[in-house]
Amino acid sequence: MKYKIVTRSRVGLPVLILGIGCFIGSSCSNTRQQSSDTNTSVKGLKYYYRDYFTMGVAVSPWALKTDEAGLIVDQFNGLTPENAMKMGPIHPMENQYYWKDADSIIAFAKRHNMKVRGHALVWHQQTPDWLFKDAEGKQVSKEVLLQRIKDHITTVVQRYKGSIYAWDVVNEAISDDPKEVYRQSKFYQICGDEFITKAFEWAHAADPDAVLFYNDYNEINPVKRAKIIAMIKQLQSAGVPIHAVGLQAHWAINEPTEAQLDQTFKDFIELKLPLQITELDISVYSKEHNARDKKVPADADTAYTTEKEDLQTKQYGMCFKLFRKYKDHLTGVTFWNISDRHSWLDDFPVRNRKDHPLLFNRNLRPKKPYTAVIDF
Ligand code: 9MR
């Protein structure tokens, strides 16, 4: 489908852009509205998917002060703080919280009538130094750690009660090692799996209206998926307030296959819980799971070639075809980062290798994969 998007120039005159070619290159004049006006006539992702699910994006407070803000307002109706609400950034010292960044994201969402997902209450990464240590620097007991987790969850969730509709309560607690169930994190080593149950109970007590998620990656892997599902079933049968499942969806041009993704949805649906795609990006490189330095000549080839563009277009098209197929179970899709200007994948798995995983290029123009997402 050749499609039309009507944007407004800075002086308010509607400008018609015809066909996709104009979006992809940087040769078109930049007429995209960059103000924070929500009464825009741009038909963004949230417009095309208005009968399907929320379209969200992970953001930093800084991005909301750049020209990316206009793009966000045009295209999305949901926000996730990429880092600002994680334990380390928001709770750097035991008796000190740092609210400024998280608050600014909430304020932006309110100004533009967007929903906010909270991310993440308990995660093994980006934990503050003080969390696991006592005054002498020795590892704390289970009792102390659980009390600290409780205080953290209660304070953060209560502060944003009414402003955040959903929380990633526990993030990535399942191991990638097929021989292990739970990740051997400090949380697990000190508390066993009790920290998971307790985290959901405390989050629910702090805000009984918030939708509480378990969130994890590599959910398309059948072995890991089975472990995630078994853990959630166990929590459900113990009456733990877990309300939804987040499938992170850090994918690539070569995975998942359509059959694999279809099976992933079929399996998760058996839990009878709402699902969300919480951290979507599609790397233009073949999937690798472990961090490494550049080593082969191909690692230096970071151009966004027509071949990569075509493969990424096909993959985005396939994923969204299945997202629409499972729309009765899917309540949101969130992209992890805004445009190819910056993504965490620029540094992972290969350090300092530029990736192009998103729907908008560095000039904030929709890429060819964007057309595959809205063409239905
Ligand atoms: O995108 C986030 C990046 O800026 C941080 O440096 C990183 C810290 O480990 O976390 C990234 O986000 C992660 C998310 O919070 C949980 N799932 C995996 C994401 C990518 O690593």
Side-chain angles (χ1 to χ4, degrees):
M1 174 183 87
K2 287 266 191 268
Y3 68 97
K4 298 174 185 178
I5 288 184
V6 181
T7 68
R8 266 175 208 288
S9 69
R10 285 170 202 279
V11 288
L13 292 172
V15 177
L16 264 189
I17 299 175
L18 296 171
I20 59 168
C22 195
F23 293 123
I24 296 162
S26 53
S27 54
C28 302
S29 63
N30 186 354
T31 51
R32 177 164 286 281
Q33 184 183 25
Q34 311 212 322
S35 81
S36 54
D37 181 6
T38 45
N39 295 321
T40 170
S41 49
V42 173
K43 286 188 170 130
L45 293 167
K46 65 181 176 187
Y47 169 80
Y48 292 101
Y49 281 89
R50 65 198 180 285
D51 296 329
Y52 288 82
F53 27 71
T54 304
M55 279 292 207
V57 63
V59 297
S60 69
W62 308 284
L64 303 181
K65 297 192 175 90
T66 70
D67 54 347
E68 288 187 308
L71 177 80
I72 292 168
V73 171
D74 287 347
Q75 297 287 337
F76 300 100
N77 49 10
L79 292 183
T80 302
E82 181 184 2
N83 290 301
M85 288 184 186
K86 290 172 181 171
M87 229 185 205
I90 210 167
H91 196 172
M93 318 273 259
E94 185 164 9
N95 297 311
Q96 194 183 314
Y97 285 84
Y98 176 75
W99 302 116
K100 198 166 156 260
D101 288 348
D103 284 359
S104 73
I105 294 173
I106 298 279
F108 183 93
K110 285 199 173 141
R111 279 203 299 283
H112 300 292
N113 202 19
M114 303 171 98
K115 296 167 92 171
V116 183
R117 304 186 78 256
H119 176 84
L121 294 170
V122 183
W123 187 34
H124 64 284
Q125 281 193 35
Q126 282 174 298
T127 50
D129 286 345
W130 60 268
L131 186 66
F132 302 110
K133 290 184 195 152
D134 66 15
E136 277 106 53
K138 288 210 238 62
Q139 184 165 295
V140 290
S141 65
K142 174 175 176 177
E143 208 182 12
V144 170
L145 182 56
L146 285 176
Q147 186 60 46
R148 287 179 175 182
I149 297 172
K150 181 179 183 184
D151 292 345
H152 172 81
I153 290 177
T154 307
T155 308
V156 175
V157 174
Q158 277 181 355
R159 179 178 182 87
Y160 296 117
K161 192 169 182 314
S163 304
I164 286 190
Y165 79 103
W167 272 104
D168 289 329
V169 177
V170 176
N171 198 36
E172 305 174 6
I174 294 294
S175 175
D176 289 308
D177 181 343
K179 297 188 288 294
E180 238 167 45
V181 176
Y182 293 102
R183 177 185 297 279
Q184 296 298 306
S185 67
K186 275 253 167 65
F187 291 110
Y188 184 77
Q189 284 165 355
I190 299 173
C191 303
D193 60 357
E194 204 180 322
F195 81 91
I196 301 171
T197 307
K198 291 291 181 200
F200 279 98
E201 287 173 358
W202 292 325
H204 188 57
D207 182 358
D209 296 326
V211 184
L212 304 184
F213 278 73
Y214 175 73
N215 191 47
D216 214 329
Y217 66 87
N218 211 6
E219 64 296 308
I220 53 174
N221 174 308
V223 178
K224 183 154 179 199
R225 182 160 75 237
K227 291 191 282 186
I228 297 172
I229 290 174
M231 178 192 72
I232 295 175
K233 280 189 175 155
Q234 210 177 305
L235 293 170
Q236 285 177 309
S237 58
V240 175
I242 176 170
H243 307 134
V245 190
L247 318 180
Q248 290 190 9
H250 291 296
W251 297 334
I253 44 172
N254 66 327
E255 72 166 51
T257 63
E258 185 164 353
Q260 192 181 9
L261 185 54
D262 197 55
Q263 191 59 50
T264 300
F265 277 114
K266 284 191 177 129
D267 289 348
F268 277 111
I269 279 168
E270 284 184 20
L271 289 169
K272 299 192 172 40
L273 292 178
L275 307 174
Q276 287 200 6
I277 299 295
T278 51
E279 304 186 13
L280 177 63
D281 41 34
I282 295 184
S283 169
V284 297
Y285 305 105
S286 291
K287 189 72 184 176
E288 288 181 56
H289 293 273
N290 298 314
R292 65 170 174 89
D293 289 320
K294 288 182 186 170
K295 61 174 184 210
V296 291
D299 290 339
D301 176 15
T302 58
Y304 188 57
T305 57
T306 312
E307 192 196 350
K308 285 177 184 143
E309 181 186 62
D310 287 346
L311 289 168
Q312 193 183 40
T313 302
K314 234 172 129 202
Q315 187 71 333
Y316 262 115
M318 182 278 284
C319 292
F320 273 84
K321 186 177 88 181
L322 288 190
F323 296 167
R324 293 190 298 274
K325 173 176 172 185
Y326 289 102
K327 76 176 170 108
D328 292 343
H329 306 274
L330 205 54
T331 59
V333 173
T334 298
F335 288 83
W336 205 247
N337 296 130
I338 306 157
S339 74
D340 288 348
R341 256 183 210 177
H342 160 78
S343 156
W344 74 287
L345 293 168
D346 293 339
D347 226 25
F348 184 89
V350 179
R351 281 178 271 275
N352 198 23
R353 179 185 65 176
K354 180 73 195 151
D355 206 333
H356 313 265
L358 298 157
L359 293 184
F360 302 94
N361 70 15
R362 287 188 241 205
N363 299 314
L364 310 187
R365 299 284 177 201
K367 293 158 55 184
K368 197 170 161 193
Y370 183 92
T371 62
V373 168
I374 63 163
D375 186 7
F376 60 92

